[in-house]
Amino acid sequence: FVSLSSESCSTAALDNALCQPGLLSVVFMDMEGDHVNVLRNYYVKGGLVVYFGIYGEFADPEVLSRTFGIGPWSFSGYTAHNYQLTLPASQKFGNNVKEQQYTKSNLVNAPVKDRLMTPKELSYDEYIEEYLYPDDDGNYDEEDLKLAPQKYESHRESMGTYSPLVMHESFNGGAVAYLGFVNGDGNIPLIV
């Protein structure tokens, strides 16, 4: 793969680097600048373009979507969850990695076919423990408990639409991926 900084690389140098035989992907973290046009051309020619969304530029999923003509993708939240592979991702990558430990992530709302990971589903009891807060005596508010089943179902439905790892594959073999794990450069999840 190629990983180049837009600050230290001209578009001509990037274009040359992307012509290397055997190149599998290019990774970038900056949506601004002329290099994005070179990356779009690489994608159109069948290349894999990977965007590291670790810095929380909330507009970037939508910008990626528009720039590469994919999606629609949009930012949907920033939070921590345990994650699991979606069925399409398991079929694509096999069973070597099935889940990602509790990780803070920028989440993307994307079409089902583009989602590679989603938050692991919480049981009803886990939901109560995580989202309802007891008072000092350990008792829950009666009104919160009455609404809990309805809120739990809504929570379950919405969690399936959020993904820290999405990838769109085009008919020509090109692909664009967004990685929203915010652990930082030195702690990239095993799935990547």
Side-chain angles (χ1 to χ4, degrees), residues 18-29:
L18 296 178
C19 292
Q20 295 175 17
L23 179 66
L24 299 177
S25 66
V26 62
V27 176
F28 74 112
M29 296 169 51

